[in-house]
Amino acid sequence: MKKKLAILIFGMSIPFAAACGQEATKDSDSHTAHTHTTANGDLQEVTASADTLPSFLDNKDDNMRAVYRAAAKHADVLDQMPCYCGCGESAGHRSNLNCFIAERNGDEITWDDHGTRCGVCLDIAATTAAMTEEGKSPSDIRSYIDHTYSEGYAEPTPTPLPGA
């Protein structure tokens, strides 16, 4: 798993693109899936658990699906990491987690497609997951993320420091 996530970090430099304002999808029973588009154009979809990825990832590559799985697995750590893509201002995100998961309600997850269109979001999540798998503390990971993205990127999301 560590090796797979490390490979993801290097593969995230590939530009990602997706259409904004996608329409609601149909599930296998031809019922409208639990999807909606937010005011900023992000598509959100509810699934019963982290075991079911959203349909907006169906046509995405394995690396992107792996980052979304890692975001769900390490949600508690990603919630302590800022994002430096500008989504704090443009989308009201509070942490890097919000680029992938808008909300958790028990096992149910509201996924967000923001991360599908943003290499910075993907890089931060992949790095965080890999460092978590290596046993690094949230504080160490946060220091690394803040240092790495301190110049040349947008203002970070208003994410409290770990343990604050």
Side-chain angles (χ1 to χ4, degrees):
M1 182 69 173
K2 289 180 192 176
K3 186 176 181 181
K4 187 175 184 178
L5 285 172
I7 291 169
L8 281 174
I9 291 170
F10 296 110
M12 291 296 102
S13 60
I14 300 168
F16 295 97
C20 291
Q22 299 175 20
E23 295 179 18
T25 58
K26 301 283 184 177
D27 65 17
S28 59
D29 295 323
S30 297
H31 295 104
T32 301
H34 295 68
T35 62
H36 70 277
T37 304
T38 64
N40 70 327
D42 288 351
L43 181 68
Q44 294 184 346
E45 181 176 330
V46 179
T47 65
S49 73
D51 295 331
T52 305
L53 290 175
S55 64
F56 61 73
L57 292 176
D58 288 352
N59 296 319
K60 303 299 181 194
D61 67 30
D62 290 339
N63 287 341
M64 188 175 293
R65 286 192 296 277
V67 173
Y68 269 80
R69 281 187 195 97
K73 180 178 179 182
H74 301 293
D76 59 330
V77 181
L78 258 65
D79 197 36
Q80 299 175 68
M81 300 302 134
C83 189
Y84 282 83
C85 80
C87 62
E89 186 174 317
S90 67
H93 290 177
R94 309 287 298 162
S95 71
N96 183 248
L97 178 64
N98 298 140
C99 302
F100 306 94
I101 297 174
E103 184 179 4
R104 289 187 102 142
N105 185 8
D107 288 340
E108 190 175 84
I109 294 182
T110 302
W111 301 93
D112 194 298
D113 80 332
H114 182 90
T116 66
R117 296 181 309 278
C118 184
V120 172
C121 301
L122 291 164
D123 285 344
I124 291 170
T127 299
T128 299
M131 292 179 76
T132 300
E133 294 283 333
E134 292 170 359
K136 304 287 187 202
S137 72
S139 294
D140 289 343
I141 299 167
R142 174 67 182 262
S143 293
Y144 178 82
I145 297 295
D146 285 341
H147 176 75
T148 301
Y149 296 92
S150 64
E151 293 183 24
Y153 294 90
E155 288 294 313
T157 54
T159 310
L161 291 169

